[in-house]
Amino acid sequence: MAESLPLEILTYILSFLPLSDQKEASLVSRAWYFAAQNALREQPGLTSLDLSGCSELADGALLAVSRGLRHLQNLSLRRLQRLTDTGCKALGGLRELRSLDLAECCLVSGRELAQALGSTCRASPPLASLSLAYCSLLKVSMPPLAFLHRDSGLAMGAFFPQPCPEQQQAAGPSLLVLRALQELDLTACCQLTDASLAKVLQFPQLRRLSLSLLPAFTDMGLVAVARGCPSLEHLALSHCSLLSDEGWAQAASFWPRLRHLTLSSCSQLTEQTLDTIGQACKQLQVLDVAMCPGISMAAVRRLQAQLPQVTCVQSRFVGGADLTLTL
């Protein structure tokens, strides 16, 4: 019966539903999809929107959102499998955006996203949280995700290589506002390399960072990240199997504020890394070294004695043990 209702009536009915229910209703049929979009347009003051998992939504939906919901501050587009770089252009219309989740958007490579977010450089406050986790097409080498404009001393974000003056003029807006980025998730962006991350991660105010499941991430990249992001408090590096004690010996001193650290399944790390962390990261509270075969329980206990404020150490399968120590 609902299918026979005029679009205006169906839109009116859906406008009374909570946003979560509107999202579910958009999956019922094509008519309901358009009615749900119209219902969204009638809420111009909306500041938070979660469209995660709406697998039928594509670039046109994001365009509609950007036109009708200009005051959005928090937007989740997680697992929109049909969203592409073309759709990301629409993000330029969201001048008040503070948090953006594009995790598992497998067709997003980053090029148009950079231009869109760069076009909001006059927005206040700037983007603070960005998730690109599991965006397997994300590349920052061709073109790079960011470059550092050393003359200005500011982190210049863009998914473009550092250009010559002629190229810079033609490149369009950069992600200059990302100097204020506080949270960044690049988990499982498997095409990222040390060189590209060195260009990306120049964010002095960044507090949370995830680089887990990056198969090409090595000690060179770790040191570059440490120098570019000295304010980190939460860092996740699980399953980064190329990291070694030598890298941590160079990087740890840059992170005196580190409080949460995840190193699970970093198979090359030994107790030497724990000793280094114990000396450099005096504010550490939570540590995960589960499934690190080179770290012994004796080294874990020594770290806890050295840093009594560490309240939780995840140490499953450390040194052959299956333990979780929680104080």
Side-chain angles (χ1 to χ4, degrees):
M1 177 179 177
E3 291 292 338
S4 63
L5 292 174
L7 181 61
E8 294 79 6
I9 299 299
L10 192 54
T11 297
Y12 179 74
I13 294 172
L14 293 184
S15 68
F16 289 96
L17 297 178
L19 283 176
S20 58
D21 292 340
Q22 287 184 25
K23 182 173 74 172
E24 296 299 323
S26 70
L27 303 177
V28 171
S29 68
R30 191 174 184 82
W32 285 49
Y33 167 79
F34 287 114
Q37 280 197 339
N38 289 341
L40 275 177
R41 293 192 189 101
E42 295 179 2
Q43 302 183 59
L46 199 68
T47 59
S48 295
L49 178 63
D50 183 357
L51 297 175
S52 58
C54 295
S55 57
E56 295 302 313
L57 298 185
D59 296 338
L62 186 51
L63 180 61
V65 166
S66 68
R67 288 175 175 174
L69 302 175
R70 295 286 185 172
H71 298 291
L72 274 184
Q73 298 178 14
N74 305 288
L75 177 61
S76 177
L77 303 172
R78 179 181 289 259
R79 298 192 307 278
L80 266 59
Q81 303 297 320
R82 299 176 61 189
L83 182 66
T84 72
D85 288 329
T86 300
C88 289
K89 292 180 181 179
L91 291 169
L94 300 177
R95 302 279 172 156
E96 300 177 21
L97 200 61
R98 289 278 290 158
S99 174
L100 176 62
D101 187 351
L102 289 169
E104 300 180 66
C105 293
C106 58
L107 299 181
V108 172
S109 70
R111 185 190 302 266
E112 302 298 343
L113 177 64
Q115 289 182 321
L117 295 182
S119 72
T120 66
C121 62
R122 294 182 300 277
S124 179
L127 192 72
S129 177
L130 175 62
S131 176
L132 296 166
Y134 296 92
C135 291
S136 56
L137 292 184
L138 185 70
K139 294 182 179 180
V140 297
S141 56
M142 234 175 68
L145 180 66
F147 61 85
L148 183 63
H149 192 297
R150 300 186 184 280
D151 293 338
S152 69
L154 299 177
M156 307 283 286
F159 294 82
F160 298 97
Q162 185 163 347
C164 63
E166 294 80 8
Q167 292 172 323
Q168 186 170 356
Q169 185 175 5
S174 69
L175 295 184
L176 179 60
V177 294
L178 285 191
R179 68 183 183 272
L181 198 66
Q182 296 184 25
E183 300 182 11
L184 179 61
D185 190 346
L186 296 174
T187 298
C189 294
C190 56
Q191 299 195 45
L192 301 185
T193 64
D194 288 340
S196 58
L197 287 170
K199 296 174 183 178
V200 173
L201 299 177
Q202 299 288 343
F203 304 130
Q205 297 185 43
L206 198 67
R207 299 291 187 268
R208 292 175 175 263
L209 175 64
S210 178
L211 298 175
S212 296
L213 294 167
L214 298 189
F217 188 53
T218 72
D219 291 340
M220 184 180 300
L222 182 69
V223 175
V225 171
R227 290 173 175 167
C229 306
S231 300
L232 286 182
E233 298 175 1
H234 292 69
L235 177 62
L237 297 172
S238 64
H239 295 272
C240 292
S241 58
L242 299 182
L243 297 181
S244 72
D245 297 334
E246 182 179 352
W248 271 100
Q250 299 179 57
S253 61
F254 289 95
W255 287 323
R257 301 181 185 179
L258 206 58
R259 295 191 290 117
H260 292 243
L261 177 60
T262 300
L263 296 174
S264 59
S265 298
C266 290
S267 56
Q268 293 193 44
L269 299 184
T270 72
E271 61 186 53
Q272 181 180 337
T273 289
L274 287 194
D275 292 340
T276 299
I277 291 171
Q279 295 172 14
C281 306
K282 299 294 187 181
Q283 297 187 39
L284 193 67
Q285 298 176 5
V286 177
L287 175 66
D288 187 347
V289 289
M291 294 176 284
C292 291
I295 295 177
S296 66
M297 286 303 302
V300 170
R301 296 189 185 98
R302 186 164 61 247
L303 176 71
Q304 291 179 296
Q306 187 175 2
L307 299 177
Q309 79 278 7
V310 175
T311 57
C312 182
V313 178
Q314 299 294 331
S315 54
R316 298 180 303 279
F317 299 106
V318 165
D322 183 9
L323 297 173
T324 300
L325 300 182
T326 304
L327 303 183

